Amino acid sequence: MKRTSLAALIAASLAVPLTITMPQTAHAAWPVFDATNYGQNVLQAARALEQINNQIQQLQNQATMLQNMAKNLQRLDFSSLGQMQGALNRIDGLMMQAKGLSFDLTQLEGQWRQQYPDSYYASIGVNDMATAARERWQNAMSAFRQTMRVQSQIVENVQADQGLLTDLVGQSQGAVGALQAQQAANQLIALSTKQQMQIQTLMATHYRSQAEDAARKAQAEEAARETTKRFLGSGSAYSGN
């Protein structure tokens, strides 16, 4: 009974198919490439880079602008004012040393009435007229001398202006900014103005000497007429009566 049962059990086990379960291997995970997202990321990065470049360019432009402003506001380390003022002061000194008729209007009026009377009164003697005539002659000679002194001083100033003009032109050409160029140009204009003032002063002294000499001659004629009249008298002594 036991043998039969064992044989039957073996036969039954052999009749059942053998099934072996193998472990399943997991599939590997492959990344998925999203072209649209990638393109958007690249576009955003390009835009950000462009903005950075624009900002850098703006900063560079601002830096250049500040540099130009610094150059344009840089002052000219050269001044010819003292030299020009000194030249004009020397001419003014000559004008103050002038003798005879003054260039001051108030003083001139009094001197003119004294030296160039409209008529000679009987109380004025011949000797007084001769003394006044000599004084007028001396004043006229002083006026001519003053004109020549002013001319000589202006010639010296013009010679000095040649070197000054060279310096100012060099400063203008070497200017690094607008302010320096403008300041150099202003000094060139001032030099031209100074020379015009010298010419005006020379013309004043020249015309003064000419006018004073003409007045002296006219007054001499009047004095001679008055002297002759006094010498001849009324003429009754020569009437033959």
Side-chain angles (χ1 to χ4, degrees), residues 129-148:
M129 288 190 289
T131 301
R134 182 172 180 81
E135 184 178 356
R136 288 191 294 270
W137 173 80
Q138 290 176 342
N139 290 339
M141 294 301 295
S142 297
F144 284 121
R145 179 169 179 254
Q146 181 194 20
T147 300
M148 293 183 179

Side-chain angles (χ1 to χ4, degrees), residues 114-117 120-136 219 223 226-227 230:
Q114 180 181 359
Q115 298 184 21
Y116 299 90
Y120 290 98
Y121 299 99
S123 59
I124 301 177
V126 176
N127 292 334
D128 294 334
M129 288 190 289
T131 301
R134 182 172 180 81
E135 184 178 356
R136 288 191 294 270
Q219 195 69 29
E226 180 66 20
T227 303
R230 293 184 182 185

